[in-house]
Amino acid sequence: MTRLHSSRPAFGALGLIATVALAACTAGGASPGSAGPSSSTIDSAVVEPSISASQVASAEPSPTSSEPTESLQPFACTPSVSVPSTTDRAQISDVRVGTHDGYDRVVFEFAAGIPDAVIQGVLPPFYADPSGLELPVAGTAFLRVTMHGASKMSPEGSVTYSGSTNFQPGFDRLVQLIEGGDFEAVSTWYLGLDGAGCYRVLTLADPSRVVIDIEH
């Protein structure tokens, strides 16, 4: 079964670039707290193995697909993952979440190219950027996504993404996805999860996306 929550309709037919396909462990937090730039992080080595395009043939399925990622590499556990950029400025054009057999999915889509990104397990408290106010995030384990050179505001001041910045889908693992900040071309988001576990990160093309799968 597949359920999707999106700021726009369904996924289309998808191309992909030879990929960063990485897996990591989430950090178990205390009770849900606040979230932000000065939150505690879990020490880890950053790993960047890749897989070929042929191994990721159905990485982002249509809403009716029951087994969308049977050819993807298995989940593994490493607390931090980095994604190298393919452009100096990545404009966020869509953010969406979905659930599939065996995992929940978060997708960040960009107008052209992907930003430098770090996905890592973190612990509360969290704080919004740039206000410094505490940011509550539901869940018992948390991931922070920090994307440098990414924004939903263009350099000219136009908005390239005006959809939700606070998803509360109530999936098996993904409890909440919330924006922690969009300031000086640094976009920060927090994933609140129901329990710690493993995940993988993919980069896809046509359109450009960073995808995070959280294992059930």
Side-chain angles (χ1 to χ4, degrees):
M1 172 181 174
T2 298
R3 287 182 289 151
L4 299 174
H5 291 233
S6 174
S7 62
R8 67 188 194 191
F11 305 142
L14 306 164
L16 60 116
I17 61 177
T19 308
V20 182
L22 309 161
C25 268
T26 61
S31 59
S34 329
S38 58
S39 56
S40 302
T41 62
I42 304 301
D43 292 337
S44 64
V46 177
V47 295
E48 298 184 72
S50 63
I51 60 178
S52 68
S54 63
Q55 291 178 278
V56 204
S58 56
E60 192 178 340
S62 68
T64 57
S65 175
S66 60
E67 295 187 25
T69 59
E70 60 186 42
S71 62
L72 291 177
Q73 73 176 46
F75 294 93
C77 291
T78 303
S80 179
V81 168
S82 68
V83 176
S85 65
T86 63
T87 184
D88 291 335
R89 178 84 178 202
Q91 291 302 138
I92 299 171
S93 58
D94 195 24
V95 179
R96 52 188 180 267
V97 299
T99 189
H100 309 285
D101 290 343
Y103 64 95
D104 298 333
R105 170 165 285 188
V106 173
V107 179
F108 297 98
E109 185 172 312
F110 306 93
I114 60 172
D116 172 85
V118 177
I119 301 92
Q120 64 187 145
V122 291
L123 298 172
F126 305 127
Y127 304 94
D129 183 21
S131 70
L133 297 175
E134 290 191 0
L135 179 69
V137 182
T140 58
F142 308 92
L143 291 175
R144 182 174 64 208
V145 181
T146 306
M147 298 180 285
H148 296 274
S151 179
K152 62 181 185 292
M153 298 292 298
S154 74
E156 297 73 33
S158 62
V159 177
T160 58
Y161 171 68
S162 58
S164 178
T165 56
N166 185 6
F167 298 85
Q168 301 181 59
F171 294 155
D172 287 350
R173 291 297 309 284
L174 181 65
V175 177
Q176 186 175 17
L177 171 68
I178 186 170
E179 184 185 60
D182 190 327
F183 183 62
E184 295 184 343
V186 178
S187 179
T188 306
W189 292 74
Y190 292 89
L191 283 67
L193 308 176
D194 183 10
C198 299
Y199 64 96
R200 65 180 164 225
V201 179
L202 312 171
T203 60
L204 308 176
D206 300 324
S208 302
R209 284 150 292 162
V210 172
V211 177
I212 304 167
D213 290 338
I214 305 101
E215 186 179 27
H216 290 172

